[in-house]
C-alpha cells in the first residue's frame, strides 16, 4: 500500500483521467476492479470503464460490489483515506470512501451522445435561445451528458487484440495518449504501473 502511493508520487506526471477500455469479448469484473482500485491508490482522480458491448454498464452494481470488495482487500484499513464516487450508478447518491470518481460507459455514451448533443443544440437554435454561431468546442463539451464534470482522458489503457478503441468517447480523445496491453485478464500491478511509467515518460507535442 505504501508502495502504491509512493509510485504515484514518483511519476514525473500522473494522468488526471484514465480510460480503461476492454475490447475483449468476455470482460472480467475482478480484474477491472483491481485496475480501478490501483488507479485510486496511485492518486488518479477520474476513471472511466468501457467495453464495446456495454456489459459493465448493464451490470454496474456487480462491478461496484467487486470494487468495494477489492478496495477492502487491497487497501485494508487504508481504504478510509480514499473516496470513490460512482457517478452513474443506478442507486442515487451512492458515494464510497475514496478520492476518485468513476464512470461506467458504453457505446451509447460515444457517437450517440454526440448526436443527442447536436439535436439539443438545434432545439436551442429553433427556440432562439442560441444562434448557430454559438457552437464551438466548449459549447459541445457542455452539451455532452456522458462526461459531464469529467475532464478529457489524459490516458487510455486499451486491453485486447483489437487495434481500435471501438467507439470510446470519440470526441474526447483527440489529445489522449493510448497504450495497448494484450489483455486485462490476470493483469498484474507491474503491468499497470509500467503503462503509467510509459505515459509519464512520453512527450506530448499537441499536434506540433
Amino acid at each position: 500500500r505504501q508502495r502504491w502511493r509512493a509510485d504515484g508520487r514518483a511519476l514525473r506526471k500522473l494522468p488526471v483521467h484514465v480510460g480503461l477500455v476492454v475490447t475483449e469479448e468476455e470482460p472480467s469484473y475482478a480484474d477491472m476492479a483491481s485496475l480501478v482500485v490501483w488507479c485510486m491508490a496511485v492518486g488518479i482522480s477520474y476513471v472511466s470503464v468501457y467495453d464495446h458491448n456495454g456489459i459493465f454498464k448493464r451490470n454496474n452494481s456487480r462491478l461496484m460490489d467487486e470494487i468495494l470488495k477489492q478496495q477492502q482487500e487491497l487497501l485494508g484499513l487504508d481504504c478510509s483515506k480514499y473516496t470513490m464516487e460512482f457517478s452513474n450508478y443506478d442507486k442515487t447518491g451512492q458515494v464510497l470512501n475514496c478520492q476518485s470518481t468513476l464512470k461506467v460507459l458504453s457505446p451509447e455514451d460515444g457517437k450517440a451522445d454526440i448526436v443527442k448533443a447536436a439535436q439539443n443544440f438545434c432545439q436551442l437554435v429553433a427556440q432562439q435561445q442560441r444562434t448557430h454561431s454559438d457552437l464551438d468546442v466548449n459549447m459541445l463539451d457542455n452539451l455532452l451528458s456522458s462526461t459531464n464534470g469529467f475532464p478529457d482522458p489524459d490516458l487510455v489503457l486499451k486491453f485486447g487484440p483489437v487495434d481500435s478503441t471501438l467507439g470510446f468517447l470519440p470526441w474526447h480523445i483527440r489529445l489522449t495518449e493510448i497504450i495497448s496491453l494484450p489483455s486485462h485478464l490476470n493483469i498484474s500491478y507491474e503491468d499497470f504501473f509500467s503503462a503509467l511509467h510509459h505515459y509519464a515518460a512520453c512527450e506530448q507535442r499537441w499536434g506540433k
Side-chain angles (χ1 to χ4, degrees):
R1 299 164 194 166
Q2 296 293 333
R3 177 195 168 183
W4 293 334
R5 288 199 296 271
D7 282 347
R9 290 193 296 265
L11 292 171
R12 187 166 63 87
K13 60 179 177 178
L14 188 69
V16 175
H17 178 187
V18 169
L20 304 172
V21 177
V22 174
T23 66
E24 296 156 285
E25 290 301 320
E26 296 186 13
S28 164
Y29 293 89
D31 290 310
M32 182 53 65
S34 294
L35 285 159
V36 171
V37 173
W38 292 335
C39 286
M40 294 161 47
V42 299
I44 293 167
S45 300
Y46 299 91
V47 182
S48 296
V49 170
Y50 176 90
D51 71 278
H52 65 288
N53 291 318
I55 295 172
F56 284 132
K57 187 169 185 178
R58 288 196 302 275
N59 301 281
N60 61 355
S61 60
R62 179 177 171 186
L63 178 61
M64 189 187 88
D65 289 343
E66 187 65 40
I67 291 171
L68 282 167
K69 173 186 171 185
Q70 294 209 30
Q71 184 186 2
Q72 184 65 44
E73 289 178 356
L74 297 176
L75 301 176
L77 296 175
D78 281 354
C79 72
S80 62
K81 300 177 182 177
Y82 298 85
T83 321
M84 163 122 339
E85 176 184 348
F86 289 77
S87 59
N88 53 358
Y89 181 51
D90 51 14
K91 291 183 180 178
T92 305
Q94 179 72 32
V95 177
L96 312 178
N97 296 325
C98 12
Q99 298 151 347
S100 304
T101 306
L102 174 72
K103 277 186 184 285
V104 184
L105 304 172
S106 68
E108 68 190 37
D109 300 305
K111 292 180 180 178
D113 196 32
I114 296 174
V115 171
K116 182 179 177 182
Q119 291 172 338
N120 290 340
F121 180 76
C122 289
Q123 287 180 349
L124 293 174
V125 173
Q127 296 165 2
Q128 298 185 337
Q129 297 180 34
R130 294 286 182 181
T131 67
H132 69 276
S133 60
D134 291 333
L135 185 59
D136 58 14
V137 171
N138 291 330
M139 170 67 72
L140 184 54
D141 280 341
N142 292 333
L143 289 169
L144 293 170
S145 60
S146 62
T147 54
N148 187 29
F150 263 50
D152 289 350
D154 308 284
L155 171 65
V156 163
L157 299 181
K158 181 191 71 66
F159 303 96
V162 181
D163 192 19
S164 168
T165 54
L166 296 177
F168 172 74
L169 299 180
W171 172 257
H172 303 83
I173 57 174
R174 306 179 300 278
L175 303 174
T176 300
E177 185 73 18
I178 300 173
I179 296 176
S180 296
L181 296 167
S183 175
H184 74 302
L185 302 176
N186 300 313
I187 189 167
S188 68
Y189 173 76
E190 286 69 25
D191 291 334
F192 166 76
F193 184 71
S194 177
L196 291 185
H197 192 272
H198 177 82
Y199 167 80
C202 75
E203 182 181 353
Q204 293 170 292
R205 297 179 178 272
W206 312 114
K208 296 179 181 178

